[in-house]
């Protein structure tokens, strides 16, 4: 490709549910299109969501492949046919779509093949997916892209690849969607907010138990939990047993989290591991003071006491961070404003330009 020549890029993901990797893929599709590239988004499943609606509104073409549950070899055939018809310059995969789309891209003769590793390589896929990815990286000229330096190190460890073969590109969002905070004063109620799927890695139990300590010391506090997942019923039972049901709101999935971020007082993300979480960038772009844990790619995003409180992923550590921010307006404002400044490094435009550079550097 010549320097200014436009590309056709196909982004392949299992399904556009409201989660971090899917929102990153949405942001990348839109930013690539806005940069003048031709983009096709491919969803293995037929499920239409708020993300697919937004993609259509932004002029991104979507192809639904109607995958059946479990292993579905017909998807491989559909992808080969699609790639041969569309003749893309790049096939870019996300999550476990790689085990279908990368072999299909090889067979269809697509020369530029990229896979974003959205989490620590040990955790990203099951053993079968890792074996397929390993073969693709080592023998089929597939380029893995890490979301952070920590994720890159995990790819080196799991797949035995040299660092120079693994670009690291931070996730990005459309920062113009963020609604920045105007004040750090406590209103009638002080709200702690978490956004994430109810699964073990998100560490909801620790967050809820830490909040129970804060609720016992302060009447005017509330915890809002946005998301769904298999552990939600268990967490609802925990809230009942701790007698804090009146102070905890289970808000389910929300297509637009920005109003909740704007109205919250503190964002909490005490995950056990993460890549570059989209929700954290959204909180940073809002100017929220943040409590998080120094795991995965988070230390590449935030620095303790400079633009966030990075605490141990245990009840005492999270509760101490909550109490610090509740009690200190100056600290809230300083950390929130510094987080907003730091968010400028995580724009979707910057992310897209870095991916374009990777695409163009790949050999044909």
């Amino acid at each position: 490709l010549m320097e200014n020549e436009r590309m056709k890029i196909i982004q392949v993901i299992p399904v556009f549910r409201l989660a971090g990797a899917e929102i990153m893929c949405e942001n990348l599709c839109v930013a690539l299109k806005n940069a003048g590239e031709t983009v096709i988004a491919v969803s293995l499943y037929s499920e239409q969501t708020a993300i697919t609606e937004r993609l259509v509104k932004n002029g991104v073409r979507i192809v639904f492949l109607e995958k059946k549950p479990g292993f579905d070899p017909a998807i491989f055939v559909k992808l080969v046919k699609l790639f041969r018809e569309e003749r893309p310059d790049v096939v870019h995969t996300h999550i476990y779509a790689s085990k279908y789309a990368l072999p299909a891209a090889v067979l269809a003769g697509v020369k530029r093949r990229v896979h974003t590793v959205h989490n620590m390589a040990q955790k990203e896929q099951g053993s079968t997916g890792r074996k397929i990815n390993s073969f693709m990286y080592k023998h089929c000229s597939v380029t893995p892209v890490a979301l952070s330096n920590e994720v890159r190190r995990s790819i080196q460890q799991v797949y035995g690849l040299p660092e120079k073969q693994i670009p690291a590109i931070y996730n990005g969002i459309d920062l113009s969607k963020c609604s920045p905070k105007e004040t750090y004063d406590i209103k009638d109620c002080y709200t702690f907010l978490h956004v994430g799927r109810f699964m073990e890695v998100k560490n909801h139990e620790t967050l809820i138990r830490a909040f129970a300590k804060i609720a016992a010391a302060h009447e005017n506090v509330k915890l809002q939990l946005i998301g769904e997942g298999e552990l939600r019923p268990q967490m609802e039972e925990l809230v009942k047993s701790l007698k804090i049901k009146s102070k905890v709101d289970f808000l389910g999935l929300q297509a637009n989290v920005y109003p909740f971020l704007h109205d919250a007082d503190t964002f909490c993300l005490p995950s056990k591991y993460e890549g570059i979480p989209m929700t954290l960038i959204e909180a940073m772009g809002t100017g929220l003071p943040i409590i998080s844990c120094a795991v995965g790619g988070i230390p590449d995003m935030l620095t303790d006491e400079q633009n966030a409180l990075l605490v141990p992923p245990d009840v005492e550590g999270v509760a101490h961070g909550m109490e610090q921010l509740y009690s200190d307006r100056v600290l809230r404002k300083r950390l929130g404003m510094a987080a907003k400044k730091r968010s400028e490094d995580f724009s979707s435009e910057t992310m897209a330009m870095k991916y374009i550079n990777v695409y163009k550097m790949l050999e044909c």
Side-chain angles (χ1 to χ4, degrees), residues 320-341:
H320 180 64
M322 287 176 152
E323 180 62 39
Q324 278 185 276
L325 289 176
Y326 176 89
S327 303
D328 191 338
R329 180 189 179 279
V330 173
L331 180 63
R332 290 196 300 274
K333 183 175 182 179
R334 179 172 67 81
L335 294 181
M337 293 180 70
K340 188 175 187 307
K341 177 65 176 174

PDB file of all heavy atoms in Angstrom, residues 320-341:
ATOM      1  N   HIS A 320     -10.476   1.357  52.588  1.00  0.00           N
ATOM      2  CA  HIS A 320      -9.620   2.496  52.951  1.00  0.00           C
ATOM      3  C   HIS A 320      -9.625   3.542  51.840  1.00  0.00           C
ATOM      4  O   HIS A 320      -9.717   4.757  52.116  1.00  0.00           O
ATOM      5  CB  HIS A 320      -8.197   2.007  53.218  1.00  0.00           C
ATOM      6  CG  HIS A 320      -7.252   3.107  53.600  1.00  0.00           C
ATOM      7  ND1 HIS A 320      -7.389   3.853  54.747  1.00  0.00           N
ATOM      8  CD2 HIS A 320      -6.156   3.606  52.955  1.00  0.00           C
ATOM      9  CE1 HIS A 320      -6.422   4.762  54.815  1.00  0.00           C
ATOM     10  NE2 HIS A 320      -5.664   4.638  53.736  1.00  0.00           N
ATOM     11  N   GLY A 321      -9.553   3.094  50.584  1.00  0.00           N
ATOM     12  CA  GLY A 321      -9.609   4.030  49.464  1.00  0.00           C
ATOM     13  C   GLY A 321     -10.935   4.765  49.407  1.00  0.00           C
ATOM     14  O   GLY A 321     -10.980   5.991  49.155  1.00  0.00           O
ATOM     15  N   MET A 322     -12.025   4.057  49.651  1.00  0.00           N
ATOM     16  CA  MET A 322     -13.350   4.681  49.662  1.00  0.00           C
ATOM     17  C   MET A 322     -13.426   5.757  50.739  1.00  0.00           C
ATOM     18  O   MET A 322     -13.930   6.875  50.505  1.00  0.00           O
ATOM     19  CB  MET A 322     -14.428   3.617  49.917  1.00  0.00           C
ATOM     20  CG  MET A 322     -14.696   2.696  48.735  1.00  0.00           C
ATOM     21  SD  MET A 322     -15.907   1.426  49.199  1.00  0.00           S
ATOM     22  CE  MET A 322     -16.656   1.086  47.604  1.00  0.00           C
ATOM     23  N   GLU A 323     -12.925   5.441  51.920  1.00  0.00           N
ATOM     24  CA  GLU A 323     -12.974   6.390  53.030  1.00  0.00           C
ATOM     25  C   GLU A 323     -12.101   7.620  52.745  1.00  0.00           C
ATOM     26  O   GLU A 323     -12.509   8.761  53.037  1.00  0.00           O
ATOM     27  CB  GLU A 323     -12.509   5.711  54.321  1.00  0.00           C
ATOM     28  CG  GLU A 323     -12.530   6.617  55.552  1.00  0.00           C
ATOM     29  CD  GLU A 323     -13.927   7.103  55.893  1.00  0.00           C
ATOM     30  OE1 GLU A 323     -14.901   6.329  55.774  1.00  0.00           O
ATOM     31  OE2 GLU A 323     -14.057   8.290  56.280  1.00  0.00           O
ATOM     32  N   GLN A 324     -10.936   7.407  52.150  1.00  0.00           N
ATOM     33  CA  GLN A 324     -10.069   8.530  51.800  1.00  0.00           C
ATOM     34  C   GLN A 324     -10.784   9.521  50.888  1.00  0.00           C
ATOM     35  O   GLN A 324     -10.740  10.740  51.116  1.00  0.00           O
ATOM     36  CB  GLN A 324      -8.807   8.022  51.094  1.00  0.00           C
ATOM     37  CG  GLN A 324      -7.706   7.525  51.985  1.00  0.00           C
ATOM     38  CD  GLN A 324      -6.478   7.176  51.169  1.00  0.00           C
ATOM     39  OE1 GLN A 324      -6.362   6.084  50.619  1.00  0.00           O
ATOM     40  NE2 GLN A 324      -5.549   8.113  51.082  1.00  0.00           N
ATOM     41  N   LEU A 325     -11.404   9.018  49.837  1.00  0.00           N
ATOM     42  CA  LEU A 325     -12.045   9.909  48.869  1.00  0.00           C
ATOM     43  C   LEU A 325     -13.318  10.531  49.429  1.00  0.00           C
ATOM     44  O   LEU A 325     -13.609  11.700  49.153  1.00  0.00           O
ATOM     45  CB  LEU A 325     -12.338   9.149  47.574  1.00  0.00           C
ATOM     46  CG  LEU A 325     -11.094   8.812  46.746  1.00  0.00           C
ATOM     47  CD1 LEU A 325     -11.452   7.972  45.537  1.00  0.00           C
ATOM     48  CD2 LEU A 325     -10.379  10.084  46.298  1.00  0.00           C
ATOM     49  N   TYR A 326     -14.074   9.767  50.203  1.00  0.00           N
ATOM     50  CA  TYR A 326     -15.280  10.325  50.825  1.00  0.00           C
ATOM     51  C   TYR A 326     -14.930  11.507  51.723  1.00  0.00           C
ATOM     52  O   TYR A 326     -15.650  12.515  51.761  1.00  0.00           O
ATOM     53  CB  TYR A 326     -15.999   9.246  51.628  1.00  0.00           C
ATOM     54  CG  TYR A 326     -17.204   9.757  52.395  1.00  0.00           C
ATOM     55  CD1 TYR A 326     -18.467   9.785  51.804  1.00  0.00           C
ATOM     56  CD2 TYR A 326     -17.079  10.228  53.698  1.00  0.00           C
ATOM     57  CE1 TYR A 326     -19.575  10.278  52.500  1.00  0.00           C
ATOM     58  CE2 TYR A 326     -18.172  10.720  54.405  1.00  0.00           C
ATOM     59  CZ  TYR A 326     -19.416  10.741  53.790  1.00  0.00           C
ATOM     60  OH  TYR A 326     -20.501  11.227  54.475  1.00  0.00           O
ATOM     61  N   SER A 327     -13.807  11.397  52.420  1.00  0.00           N
ATOM     62  CA  SER A 327     -13.477  12.368  53.467  1.00  0.00           C
ATOM     63  C   SER A 327     -12.669  13.565  52.986  1.00  0.00           C
ATOM     64  O   SER A 327     -12.468  14.515  53.758  1.00  0.00           O
ATOM     65  CB  SER A 327     -12.672  11.662  54.581  1.00  0.00           C
ATOM     66  OG  SER A 327     -13.398  10.571  55.100  1.00  0.00           O
ATOM     67  N   ASP A 328     -12.205  13.543  51.728  1.00  0.00           N
ATOM     68  CA  ASP A 328     -11.235  14.568  51.307  1.00  0.00           C
ATOM     69  C   ASP A 328     -11.608  15.132  49.940  1.00  0.00           C
ATOM     70  O   ASP A 328     -11.272  14.574  48.895  1.00  0.00           O
ATOM     71  CB  ASP A 328      -9.837  13.940  51.266  1.00  0.00           C
ATOM     72  CG  ASP A 328      -8.728  14.977  51.107  1.00  0.00           C
ATOM     73  OD1 ASP A 328      -9.010  16.075  50.618  1.00  0.00           O
ATOM     74  OD2 ASP A 328      -7.572  14.646  51.463  1.00  0.00           O
ATOM     75  N   ARG A 329     -12.296  16.283  49.932  1.00  0.00           N
ATOM     76  CA  ARG A 329     -12.701  16.915  48.677  1.00  0.00           C
ATOM     77  C   ARG A 329     -11.498  17.332  47.837  1.00  0.00           C
ATOM     78  O   ARG A 329     -11.504  17.197  46.604  1.00  0.00           O
ATOM     79  CB  ARG A 329     -13.567  18.149  48.968  1.00  0.00           C
ATOM     80  CG  ARG A 329     -14.028  18.863  47.697  1.00  0.00           C
ATOM     81  CD  ARG A 329     -14.688  20.209  47.998  1.00  0.00           C
ATOM     82  NE  ARG A 329     -15.093  20.883  46.764  1.00  0.00           N
ATOM     83  CZ  ARG A 329     -14.252  21.571  45.999  1.00  0.00           C
ATOM     84  NH1 ARG A 329     -12.963  21.673  46.343  1.00  0.00           N
ATOM     85  NH2 ARG A 329     -14.694  22.157  44.889  1.00  0.00           N
ATOM     86  N   VAL A 330     -10.461  17.851  48.482  1.00  0.00           N
ATOM     87  CA  VAL A 330      -9.265  18.286  47.753  1.00  0.00           C
ATOM     88  C   VAL A 330      -8.636  17.109  47.008  1.00  0.00           C
ATOM     89  O   VAL A 330      -8.234  17.233  45.845  1.00  0.00           O
ATOM     90  CB  VAL A 330      -8.249  18.933  48.712  1.00  0.00           C
ATOM     91  CG1 VAL A 330      -6.930  19.232  47.989  1.00  0.00           C
ATOM     92  CG2 VAL A 330      -8.822  20.203  49.319  1.00  0.00           C
ATOM     93  N   LEU A 331      -8.566  15.960  47.658  1.00  0.00           N
ATOM     94  CA  LEU A 331      -8.019  14.757  47.023  1.00  0.00           C
ATOM     95  C   LEU A 331      -8.897  14.318  45.863  1.00  0.00           C
ATOM     96  O   LEU A 331      -8.390  13.967  44.791  1.00  0.00           O
ATOM     97  CB  LEU A 331      -7.903  13.623  48.047  1.00  0.00           C
ATOM     98  CG  LEU A 331      -7.345  12.299  47.529  1.00  0.00           C
ATOM     99  CD1 LEU A 331      -5.906  12.458  47.055  1.00  0.00           C
ATOM    100  CD2 LEU A 331      -7.438  11.207  48.608  1.00  0.00           C
ATOM    101  N   ARG A 332     -10.224  14.344  46.060  1.00  0.00           N
ATOM    102  CA  ARG A 332     -11.138  13.970  44.977  1.00  0.00           C
ATOM    103  C   ARG A 332     -10.906  14.825  43.736  1.00  0.00           C
ATOM    104  O   ARG A 332     -10.790  14.325  42.616  1.00  0.00           O
ATOM    105  CB  ARG A 332     -12.609  14.123  45.414  1.00  0.00           C
ATOM    106  CG  ARG A 332     -13.086  13.124  46.432  1.00  0.00           C
ATOM    107  CD  ARG A 332     -14.608  13.096  46.513  1.00  0.00           C
ATOM    108  NE  ARG A 332     -15.223  14.371  46.889  1.00  0.00           N
ATOM    109  CZ  ARG A 332     -15.417  14.777  48.145  1.00  0.00           C
ATOM    110  NH1 ARG A 332     -15.018  14.018  49.153  1.00  0.00           N
ATOM    111  NH2 ARG A 332     -16.017  15.932  48.398  1.00  0.00           N
ATOM    112  N   LYS A 333     -10.835  16.130  43.958  1.00  0.00           N
ATOM    113  CA  LYS A 333     -10.676  17.046  42.823  1.00  0.00           C
ATOM    114  C   LYS A 333      -9.314  16.865  42.148  1.00  0.00           C
ATOM    115  O   LYS A 333      -9.221  16.828  40.910  1.00  0.00           O
ATOM    116  CB  LYS A 333     -10.845  18.492  43.293  1.00  0.00           C
ATOM    117  CG  LYS A 333     -10.760  19.504  42.164  1.00  0.00           C
ATOM    118  CD  LYS A 333     -11.052  20.917  42.657  1.00  0.00           C
ATOM    119  CE  LYS A 333     -11.003  21.910  41.490  1.00  0.00           C
ATOM    120  NZ  LYS A 333     -11.307  23.293  41.933  1.00  0.00           N
ATOM    121  N   ARG A 334      -8.276  16.742  42.946  1.00  0.00           N
ATOM    122  CA  ARG A 334      -6.929  16.602  42.369  1.00  0.00           C
ATOM    123  C   ARG A 334      -6.814  15.334  41.531  1.00  0.00           C
ATOM    124  O   ARG A 334      -6.327  15.363  40.388  1.00  0.00           O
ATOM    125  CB  ARG A 334      -5.876  16.598  43.488  1.00  0.00           C
ATOM    126  CG  ARG A 334      -4.460  16.421  42.969  1.00  0.00           C
ATOM    127  CD  ARG A 334      -3.435  16.607  44.066  1.00  0.00           C
ATOM    128  NE  ARG A 334      -3.484  15.569  45.078  1.00  0.00           N
ATOM    129  CZ  ARG A 334      -2.919  14.364  44.938  1.00  0.00           C
ATOM    130  NH1 ARG A 334      -2.305  14.045  43.809  1.00  0.00           N
ATOM    131  NH2 ARG A 334      -2.992  13.488  45.915  1.00  0.00           N
ATOM    132  N   LEU A 335      -7.271  14.209  42.067  1.00  0.00           N
ATOM    133  CA  LEU A 335      -7.172  12.939  41.341  1.00  0.00           C
ATOM    134  C   LEU A 335      -8.096  12.922  40.128  1.00  0.00           C
ATOM    135  O   LEU A 335      -7.729  12.411  39.060  1.00  0.00           O
ATOM    136  CB  LEU A 335      -7.494  11.769  42.264  1.00  0.00           C
ATOM    137  CG  LEU A 335      -6.522  11.517  43.421  1.00  0.00           C
ATOM    138  CD1 LEU A 335      -6.968  10.300  44.224  1.00  0.00           C
ATOM    139  CD2 LEU A 335      -5.091  11.327  42.919  1.00  0.00           C
ATOM    140  N   GLY A 336      -9.306  13.478  40.289  1.00  0.00           N
ATOM    141  CA  GLY A 336     -10.258  13.483  39.175  1.00  0.00           C
ATOM    142  C   GLY A 336      -9.766  14.304  38.002  1.00  0.00           C
ATOM    143  O   GLY A 336      -9.844  13.873  36.842  1.00  0.00           O
ATOM    144  N   MET A 337      -9.246  15.489  38.292  1.00  0.00           N
ATOM    145  CA  MET A 337      -8.763  16.352  37.216  1.00  0.00           C
ATOM    146  C   MET A 337      -7.513  15.773  36.553  1.00  0.00           C
ATOM    147  O   MET A 337      -7.334  15.874  35.327  1.00  0.00           O
ATOM    148  CB  MET A 337      -8.489  17.759  37.755  1.00  0.00           C
ATOM    149  CG  MET A 337      -9.754  18.483  38.191  1.00  0.00           C
ATOM    150  SD  MET A 337      -9.450  20.152  38.827  1.00  0.00           S
ATOM    151  CE  MET A 337      -8.976  21.002  37.325  1.00  0.00           C
ATOM    152  N   ALA A 338      -6.665  15.126  37.337  1.00  0.00           N
ATOM    153  CA  ALA A 338      -5.468  14.492  36.770  1.00  0.00           C
ATOM    154  C   ALA A 338      -5.848  13.285  35.909  1.00  0.00           C
ATOM    155  O   ALA A 338      -5.223  13.034  34.869  1.00  0.00           O
ATOM    156  CB  ALA A 338      -4.515  14.069  37.888  1.00  0.00           C
ATOM    157  N   ALA A 339      -6.871  12.550  36.327  1.00  0.00           N
ATOM    158  CA  ALA A 339      -7.346  11.409  35.521  1.00  0.00           C
ATOM    159  C   ALA A 339      -7.902  11.896  34.192  1.00  0.00           C
ATOM    160  O   ALA A 339      -7.677  11.268  33.140  1.00  0.00           O
ATOM    161  CB  ALA A 339      -8.403  10.628  36.295  1.00  0.00           C
ATOM    162  N   LYS A 340      -8.627  13.004  34.212  1.00  0.00           N
ATOM    163  CA  LYS A 340      -9.170  13.558  32.970  1.00  0.00           C
ATOM    164  C   LYS A 340      -8.049  13.957  32.018  1.00  0.00           C
ATOM    165  O   LYS A 340      -8.108  13.691  30.811  1.00  0.00           O
ATOM    166  CB  LYS A 340     -10.074  14.754  33.252  1.00  0.00           C
ATOM    167  CG  LYS A 340     -10.822  15.247  32.014  1.00  0.00           C
ATOM    168  CD  LYS A 340     -11.798  16.338  32.349  1.00  0.00           C
ATOM    169  CE  LYS A 340     -12.634  16.689  31.121  1.00  0.00           C
ATOM    170  NZ  LYS A 340     -11.811  17.013  29.937  1.00  0.00           N
ATOM    171  N   LYS A 341      -7.011  14.569  32.546  1.00  0.00           N
ATOM    172  CA  LYS A 341      -5.861  14.947  31.721  1.00  0.00           C
ATOM    173  C   LYS A 341      -5.206  13.700  31.120  1.00  0.00           C
ATOM    174  O   LYS A 341      -4.857  13.672  29.935  1.00  0.00           O
ATOM    175  CB  LYS A 341      -4.865  15.726  32.571  1.00  0.00           C
ATOM    176  CG  LYS A 341      -3.586  16.122  31.844  1.00  0.00           C
ATOM    177  CD  LYS A 341      -3.859  17.091  30.716  1.00  0.00           C
ATOM    178  CE  LYS A 341      -2.562  17.544  30.057  1.00  0.00           C
ATOM    179  NZ  LYS A 341      -2.814  18.391  28.856  1.00  0.00           N
TER     180      LYS A 341
END
